Amino acid sequence: MDRLVIRGGRRIEGSVQISGAKNAVLPQIAAALLSSEPLELSNVPEVTDVDTMLDMMREFGVIATRQSERKLILNAGGAHNAEAPYDMVRRMRASILVLAPLVARFGSARVSLPGGCAIGARPIDLHLKALEALGAEVGMESGYIHARTKADGLRGGRIVLSSPSVGATETALMAACLARGETEILNGARDPEVCDLALCLAAMGARIEGAGTHRILVQGVDALHHARHDLISDRIEAGTYAIAAAITGGRLEILGAHLEHLGSVGAVLENAGAQLWPTDRGLMVIRSGPLRAVDIGTEPYPGFPTDLQAQFMALMTVASGASVIRETVFESRFMHVPELARLGANISLQGSTALVRGVERLHGAELMATDLRASVSLVLAALVAEGETTIHRIYHLDRGYESLDHKLVQCGGDIRRVSG
Ligand code: EPU
């Protein structure tokens, strides 16, 4: 298993290219199942979650061809309605996103229940309710979800999400595209990745209005067709590099990043002592003054994203003052806390709230990566820790960060990947 060895103390400077968004590409790969004609995606990130999703698509007979320039062609012309087995779904919860396209196109689906994961229970009830609102019958048996439509397929309906789940909104959108008549989706997620899925589906011939708002309207069509779609850049990767610049007192141009996709993150980082401004090519981040403690609570977009909570906590460990960090999206997303403590961070946890008292300096240590965002927060902290930090089990990082070590080395970081 690979590990990262990081020597702290170098500024992160220069420029870095942001890859396509992991959380945009995964639902769009699933969306290819909606059509018998090919879907061509470009700006596809080279991360292992994409490989896992493609393995899943192959189970359904989808032909996935990677081309140069980060292009991916998905041909579901010969797809068949196989089962999504536990072994696949447990590897990646986003596999649940195949449920809606399978039901919409083939009239039935059998997908393993994902079960718990490292960041909490993560139920899928809202996905299932969305399908039921469009007339699907949903049942459970032996750990599998069975969903089937009436003989004449899904019909448009009103889907009211009790909370703005990203995945359930994507399920609702994909199902509604091929449902008869109009579907209204209320209180859906407004994240840029949901809007990007809507754009991809629109390119395939779907009729969608209001993506990015609390009310999405979809007029069902009989079939979707061949399309090309260029993915948005990864705002969480961009936010992670912004924090890398901020924590090291660096100056970094984050190429391909969009400040507006970062929601409240820009203002929070400015309050913490960084300066951010959009450039022709992306986003500039500088921190020259002291780091200040700032309180945050994670929220659905455009609030502070749960996917940047761990990274922000790493920043706060070396800020002056105490910061209160509340996690409201996932109940137990604090696996980074004991690992940050090994570097000398002063963090106390109470339920879903962490109190971070900034310390003068962190010290290198041996650490264990646990999930994607927890792992990258350890990398960020290691960039400023005195001495050497070794992070084990970094396959978690490779799930969602393309070439993290190479990109950081290009910006001045002292990082080595060691195999075995
Ligand atoms: N929830 C339910 N029932 C459901 C669905 C969700 O109770 O049917 C709850 C979840 O348990 C959680 C909250 O609603 O407490 C939000 O979950 P959401 O459905 O929005 O999350 P997701 O679609 O499973 C996506 C991202 C996550 C990101 C969250 C929140 C993808 C592939 N994953 O997950 O990304 O944290 O939205 O923004 O888009 C990551 O990239 O590290 C990651 C975990």
Side-chain angles (χ1 to χ4, degrees), residues 308-328:
L308 282 173
Q309 179 257 105
Q311 299 90 315
F312 187 72
M313 191 182 294
L315 183 68
M316 291 296 96
T317 63
V318 288
S320 98
S323 153
V324 176
I325 297 182
R326 275 182 314 115
E327 173 56 63
T328 72

Side-chain angles (χ1 to χ4, degrees), residues 22-23 122-126 165-167 307 329-330 333 373:
K22 168 185 82 84
N23 289 345
R122 297 182 80 179
I124 50 153
D125 53 317
L126 302 177
S165 153
V166 174
D307 289 345
V329 178
F330 291 111
R333 202 173 196 181
R373 310 303 175 188

Side-chain angles (χ1 to χ4, degrees), residues 85-146:
Y86 176 65
D87 196 44
M88 288 257 149
V89 181
R90 82 174 165 78
R91 275 163 66 195
M92 191 179 61
R93 287 187 50 89
S95 315
I96 192 68
L97 292 169
V98 300
L99 179 64
L102 288 175
V103 175
R105 176 146 164 232
F106 297 109
S108 73
R110 196 174 131 85
V111 175
S112 168
L113 274 168
C117 73
I119 60 176
R122 297 182 80 179
I124 50 153
D125 53 317
L126 302 177
H127 295 247
L128 305 186
K129 281 185 189 147
L131 289 175
E132 281 172 340
L134 302 189
E137 279 172 26
V138 179
M140 299 293 167
E141 198 191 291
S142 314
Y144 277 78
I145 306 154
H146 301 258

Side-chain angles (χ1 to χ4, degrees), residues 226-260:
H226 170 251
R228 291 199 178 97
H229 180 69
D230 191 35
L231 289 149
I232 51 167
S233 65
D234 196 310
R235 66 191 162 105
I236 304 300
E237 188 191 18
T240 302
Y241 283 99
I243 294 175
I247 200 168
T248 60
R251 177 190 178 96
L252 188 65
E253 188 173 15
I254 306 175
L255 308 177
H258 299 283
L259 187 53
E260 67 278 14

